[in-house]
Amino acid sequence: MTDSNDLGPEDRKIVTLARSVRARNAVPEGAAVRDETGRTYAAGTVALESLKLSALQTAVAMAVAAGATSLEAAAVVSEATTASDADRAAVRDLGGPDTPLLLAGPDGALRSTVTAG
């Protein structure tokens, strides 16, 4: 486990945003992404009868809908210890294979950093 204080301020910010969304909305996971201009988008899990999206897929969709053309980084706060293939694919589609994906536990502690590739 890596101390979140080891992260730069912008990466710490998206972990904090993801954690806040998860807690505020009482959803299984929260996510946040930072686009190429530094704008951030935070979202929680969507679990409707007709639509199911992970928090990260939702955050990526929000970025795309707002006109983002790339991602600098992404973060997920969850009980899960790994990123799903679908989450990595969503980040890769917008940010490319080298986009960092920060995985943190519900307490905000960074568990790992992987790339979308």
Side-chain angles (χ1 to χ4, degrees):
M1 199 176 318
T2 304
D3 186 345
S4 293
N5 291 327
D6 292 342
L7 296 173
E10 293 301 313
D11 287 344
R12 233 184 354 258
K13 176 182 173 182
I14 61 173
V15 170
T16 300
L17 288 170
R19 185 175 182 218
S20 296
V21 167
R22 182 180 184 270
R24 181 179 61 245
N25 296 342
V27 291
E29 57 184 21
V33 298
R34 185 175 60 249
D35 74 10
E36 74 282 0
T37 67
R39 293 178 298 181
T40 56
Y41 308 87
T45 309
V46 174
L48 301 173
E49 189 173 321
S50 63
L51 178 64
K52 300 202 184 313
L53 295 171
S54 73
L56 190 52
Q57 290 170 328
T58 305
V60 170
M62 290 171 63
V64 170
T69 59
S70 185
L71 293 178
E72 290 181 351
V76 176
V77 173
S78 172
E79 293 284 349
T81 56
T82 61
S84 73
D85 291 342
D87 279 352
R88 291 177 69 189
V91 172
R92 186 174 54 246
D93 284 350
L94 186 57
D98 296 328
T99 305
L101 174 52
L102 311 168
L103 304 170
D107 61 356
L110 186 65
R111 292 180 174 160
S112 65
T113 301
V114 299
T115 60

